Every structure is written in C-alpha cells, then in structure tokens.
Amino acid sequence: MQGRVGYVVPLDAVTPREAVDLSVMAQHAGFVGTMAADTFQPWLPSLGQAPHVWTLLGALAEHTTGDFGVGMAVAGGRMHPAALAQAAATLGALHPGRHWISMGVGEALHEHVVGDYWPEPPQRIERLFEAVELVKRLFAGSGAGREVRYDGSHFRMESSRLWTMPQQPPAVLVATSGPHTARRAGRSADGLLAFAVQPQQAALLLERFREGARESGKDPAAMPAWLHLNVSWASSTEAAVRHVVERYPMAAMRFARGDLRSPHAVEQIARLVRAEDFEGRIPASADPAVHLAEIRTYLDLGYDRVFLHNVGPDQAAFLQTFGRDVIPELDS
C-alpha cells in the first residue's frame, strides 16, 4: 500500500462506467489507491448518480492494479456487519493484498432509507466500534476455519463463518474526524482515515490514533494513516470557486450534516451559501502549486497517503494536471 496520493472516485457525479474509466486514468496518471464512498443518494440532486459501491468496486478492480477500498462503509443501516465482511472478503479473495475497507458512523442521507431509527451521535460511535469488532472477529475466525458467534448491544450474529476468505484479510480502517474516535480506532482497528479536518485537527487525530495503537501494544508506524481531502481544481480559479459553491456546498455548512435525509434538503440549505463561506475550508484554485502545498501539509504531519476528491466536473483534466504537476513534485 505504497503511494503518496490516492484518488476518490466521485460516485455521485459520474456513471458507473465513467467511474471505472476514471480509476484507470488515475492509475496511469500516478495516483496510488482508489477510494469509492458507500452512498445511497447523491448529496445534491444535480449531481445525479449513486451506484452500488460494492458492485462498482468489483468492476473497477478488474481494470486497475493498485489497492482499492470503500470509503466510510456503514454497518447497521443498509448492511449488517456480517454482510460487509462477506463483501470485503470476496473482493480480497479476488484481488489478494489489494482490498481494504474503511468504516464510519454514517449519515442519515444514505442510511435512513431502510426506515430504521436513526441513532444519536454517541450511539452511532458505539455501533461503529461494535461493527468493527464483529468484522475483525469474523475475519479472524473464518481465516482459521472456525465459526464465530456475536451478541452485542447493537448487532447479533449466530454461529457462522465466511467460507470465502483471502489468505490475508482486508485491513479495516476507521473513518473519523473526531480525536476520541481516532484514539479508539488506534486500539480497535487496523488503520485511520481522517476526513473533513483542517491541519490542526488532523494533527490531533493522528496523535490520538497513535496513542490508542500504543495502548493496545501495536506499532502505529505499521498501521495505515490516511486522509481524505476535498479540493476544487479547474482550468480557472473562478471556475474552481464556482464549482465548490455549486457542487460541494457542504464544505461551508458549519453544522453536523449527518442528520440531513434528502438531497433536496441539502439543495435548499445550499442556497444560503456564499463563495466567501468556503475560505480556509477547501482549496479552490487553478494553480497546482496551491494544491501541492495543501497536500504536503498533511503528509508532513505524518499521514501516509492523501486521497483527493476533486469537486469539479472535469475529472479527466484534473487527473492529467495533477499527474503532471503535483504527484511528481511529491515524489521528488
């Protein structure tokens, strides 16, 4: 899992076939690692797409050679942890050593569709770590050829095992923007995926994650510590700023958006957003040097890899530009 910059496929803005093609382009441009979010709806109606991520990853992996995984998969809404584990194990068996999974607390936009009660944030965190424990137990037991039973506060699983398992189970990362959760991730998970954080908070997350790892007798240096970074690049800075306002207004929302349930509700709130609301929250520029400096900030903090999500529509030009003007500078 080497590489300084990974690619986040914008699944809510491109068709499944385009997502596969872009992943191939990203690899050719020098991006290492592909991430795709587990969503049920786009954040905005205008974006227009929301494919099934597990199906798409199966196609994507057949056309690329790097590592790949789910960004912020959620257990307890649309999928039970055992089902998540089975999906990940199958991809791991098909592509040994390439697949990983990150798990998060989730958002109502994607999880409320099944009609279950949407828990409060503390319950979501407890549910997350119970799901991580179940998945890792199921991986370990299945790899050893024995059945596993689980009886927790949020999940139950009768004695069973995964009959299709890779020799090496997929790494399980926890996706979070909170230091308390990051510390628990260090104790319980295989790695960290930080998201929606500024440099100061990102540094704190990494510190807490490493503390948690050492508390459990693990070496944090051997555990992946990755960061998801939203950027807006376009052929002009004016267009880059416009794309943030039109396509990623969530970056300016200074409240937890995990309880929003409809893309149409997000669209209504987005009408209150102005370009100046994004200042300091997301780099929006046509200048690759601006984005290079942003990426370096997080790598210098100690993150192993930064996964880039470009909010603009011209993904092909973004990949070509960053492959030419950004990634080589990081490797030099």
Side-chain angles (χ1 to χ4, degrees), residues 108 130 137 177 196 243 246 263-264 281 286 313:
E130 195 169 288
R137 281 194 196 179
S177 56
H243 293 158
E246 295 175 351
H264 301 287
R281 300 180 71 84

PDB file of all heavy atoms in Angstrom, residues 108 130 137 177 196 243 246 263-264 281 286 313:
ATOM      1  N   ALA A 108     -27.516  10.039   7.733  1.00  0.00           N
ATOM      2  CA  ALA A 108     -28.915   9.678   7.506  1.00  0.00           C
ATOM      3  C   ALA A 108     -29.275   9.699   6.025  1.00  0.00           C
ATOM      4  O   ALA A 108     -30.129   8.927   5.581  1.00  0.00           O
ATOM      5  CB  ALA A 108     -29.830  10.624   8.283  1.00  0.00           C
ATOM      6  N   GLU A 130     -18.605  -1.546  17.555  1.00  0.00           N
ATOM      7  CA  GLU A 130     -19.112  -2.902  17.673  1.00  0.00           C
ATOM      8  C   GLU A 130     -19.055  -3.602  16.314  1.00  0.00           C
ATOM      9  O   GLU A 130     -18.708  -4.785  16.226  1.00  0.00           O
ATOM     10  CB  GLU A 130     -20.547  -2.882  18.203  1.00  0.00           C
ATOM     11  CG  GLU A 130     -21.021  -4.242  18.693  1.00  0.00           C
ATOM     12  CD  GLU A 130     -22.337  -4.151  19.445  1.00  0.00           C
ATOM     13  OE1 GLU A 130     -22.332  -3.634  20.579  1.00  0.00           O
ATOM     14  OE2 GLU A 130     -23.358  -4.599  18.883  1.00  0.00           O
ATOM     15  N   ARG A 137     -13.468 -10.025  14.116  1.00  0.00           N
ATOM     16  CA  ARG A 137     -13.624 -11.374  14.674  1.00  0.00           C
ATOM     17  C   ARG A 137     -14.011 -12.370  13.598  1.00  0.00           C
ATOM     18  O   ARG A 137     -13.522 -13.504  13.564  1.00  0.00           O
ATOM     19  CB  ARG A 137     -14.691 -11.367  15.776  1.00  0.00           C
ATOM     20  CG  ARG A 137     -14.229 -10.853  17.106  1.00  0.00           C
ATOM     21  CD  ARG A 137     -15.249 -11.229  18.166  1.00  0.00           C
ATOM     22  NE  ARG A 137     -15.086 -10.482  19.395  1.00  0.00           N
ATOM     23  CZ  ARG A 137     -15.864 -10.629  20.455  1.00  0.00           C
ATOM     24  NH1 ARG A 137     -16.887 -11.485  20.410  1.00  0.00           N
ATOM     25  NH2 ARG A 137     -15.653  -9.926  21.549  1.00  0.00           N
ATOM     26  N   SER A 177     -13.508  12.141  12.029  1.00  0.00           N
ATOM     27  CA  SER A 177     -12.950  13.487  12.170  1.00  0.00           C
ATOM     28  C   SER A 177     -12.842  13.874  13.638  1.00  0.00           C
ATOM     29  O   SER A 177     -12.548  15.026  13.955  1.00  0.00           O
ATOM     30  CB  SER A 177     -13.832  14.506  11.433  1.00  0.00           C
ATOM     31  OG  SER A 177     -15.166  14.451  11.905  1.00  0.00           O
ATOM     32  N   ALA A 196     -12.666  15.501   6.572  1.00  0.00           N
ATOM     33  CA  ALA A 196     -13.323  16.749   6.988  1.00  0.00           C
ATOM     34  C   ALA A 196     -12.578  17.424   8.133  1.00  0.00           C
ATOM     35  O   ALA A 196     -13.183  17.880   9.098  1.00  0.00           O
ATOM     36  CB  ALA A 196     -14.777  16.490   7.365  1.00  0.00           C
ATOM     37  N   HIS A 243     -17.385  25.970  -8.783  1.00  0.00           N
ATOM     38  CA  HIS A 243     -17.690  24.547  -8.629  1.00  0.00           C
ATOM     39  C   HIS A 243     -17.909  24.171  -7.164  1.00  0.00           C
ATOM     40  O   HIS A 243     -18.748  23.329  -6.851  1.00  0.00           O
ATOM     41  CB  HIS A 243     -16.568  23.699  -9.223  1.00  0.00           C
ATOM     42  CG  HIS A 243     -16.456  23.809 -10.710  1.00  0.00           C
ATOM     43  ND1 HIS A 243     -15.293  23.518 -11.396  1.00  0.00           N
ATOM     44  CD2 HIS A 243     -17.363  24.197 -11.649  1.00  0.00           C
ATOM     45  CE1 HIS A 243     -15.497  23.711 -12.683  1.00  0.00           C
ATOM     46  NE2 HIS A 243     -16.728  24.123 -12.863  1.00  0.00           N
ATOM     47  N   GLU A 246     -21.418  25.421  -6.278  1.00  0.00           N
ATOM     48  CA  GLU A 246     -22.495  24.726  -6.969  1.00  0.00           C
ATOM     49  C   GLU A 246     -22.522  23.227  -6.694  1.00  0.00           C
ATOM     50  O   GLU A 246     -23.604  22.631  -6.672  1.00  0.00           O
ATOM     51  CB  GLU A 246     -22.359  24.951  -8.480  1.00  0.00           C
ATOM     52  CG  GLU A 246     -22.557  26.399  -8.913  1.00  0.00           C
ATOM     53  CD  GLU A 246     -22.301  26.595 -10.391  1.00  0.00           C
ATOM     54  OE1 GLU A 246     -21.797  25.641 -11.042  1.00  0.00           O
ATOM     55  OE2 GLU A 246     -22.593  27.694 -10.905  1.00  0.00           O
ATOM     56  N   PRO A 263     -31.361  14.764  -0.572  1.00  0.00           N
ATOM     57  CA  PRO A 263     -30.585  15.683  -1.405  1.00  0.00           C
ATOM     58  C   PRO A 263     -31.311  16.998  -1.646  1.00  0.00           C
ATOM     59  O   PRO A 263     -30.676  18.046  -1.794  1.00  0.00           O
ATOM     60  CB  PRO A 263     -30.404  14.909  -2.715  1.00  0.00           C
ATOM     61  CG  PRO A 263     -30.599  13.479  -2.352  1.00  0.00           C
ATOM     62  CD  PRO A 263     -31.594  13.470  -1.236  1.00  0.00           C
ATOM     63  N   HIS A 264     -32.636  16.960  -1.649  1.00  0.00           N
ATOM     64  CA  HIS A 264     -33.405  18.183  -1.865  1.00  0.00           C
ATOM     65  C   HIS A 264     -33.297  19.120  -0.661  1.00  0.00           C
ATOM     66  O   HIS A 264     -33.290  20.344  -0.819  1.00  0.00           O
ATOM     67  CB  HIS A 264     -34.863  17.831  -2.159  1.00  0.00           C
ATOM     68  CG  HIS A 264     -35.020  16.958  -3.367  1.00  0.00           C
ATOM     69  ND1 HIS A 264     -34.858  17.431  -4.652  1.00  0.00           N
ATOM     70  CD2 HIS A 264     -35.295  15.623  -3.486  1.00  0.00           C
ATOM     71  CE1 HIS A 264     -35.033  16.433  -5.518  1.00  0.00           C
ATOM     72  NE2 HIS A 264     -35.299  15.333  -4.832  1.00  0.00           N
ATOM     73  N   ARG A 281     -11.519  26.557   4.061  1.00  0.00           N
ATOM     74  CA  ARG A 281     -12.130  25.253   4.306  1.00  0.00           C
ATOM     75  C   ARG A 281     -11.875  24.252   3.188  1.00  0.00           C
ATOM     76  O   ARG A 281     -11.907  23.053   3.412  1.00  0.00           O
ATOM     77  CB  ARG A 281     -13.634  25.425   4.522  1.00  0.00           C
ATOM     78  CG  ARG A 281     -13.973  26.314   5.718  1.00  0.00           C
ATOM     79  CD  ARG A 281     -15.468  26.469   5.893  1.00  0.00           C
ATOM     80  NE  ARG A 281     -16.108  25.251   6.363  1.00  0.00           N
ATOM     81  CZ  ARG A 281     -16.190  24.889   7.641  1.00  0.00           C
ATOM     82  NH1 ARG A 281     -15.641  25.651   8.579  1.00  0.00           N
ATOM     83  NH2 ARG A 281     -16.795  23.780   7.986  1.00  0.00           N
ATOM     84  N   ALA A 286      -6.895  27.166  -9.686  1.00  0.00           N
ATOM     85  CA  ALA A 286      -6.391  26.560 -10.914  1.00  0.00           C
ATOM     86  C   ALA A 286      -4.894  26.284 -10.833  1.00  0.00           C
ATOM     87  O   ALA A 286      -4.337  25.597 -11.698  1.00  0.00           O
ATOM     88  CB  ALA A 286      -6.682  27.479 -12.103  1.00  0.00           C
ATOM     89  N   PRO A 313     -16.290  19.187 -12.199  1.00  0.00           N
ATOM     90  CA  PRO A 313     -16.802  18.187 -13.137  1.00  0.00           C
ATOM     91  C   PRO A 313     -15.755  17.606 -14.081  1.00  0.00           C
ATOM     92  O   PRO A 313     -15.940  16.494 -14.579  1.00  0.00           O
ATOM     93  CB  PRO A 313     -17.865  18.975 -13.926  1.00  0.00           C
ATOM     94  CG  PRO A 313     -17.387  20.395 -13.881  1.00  0.00           C
ATOM     95  CD  PRO A 313     -16.724  20.559 -12.541  1.00  0.00           C
TER      96      PRO A 313
END
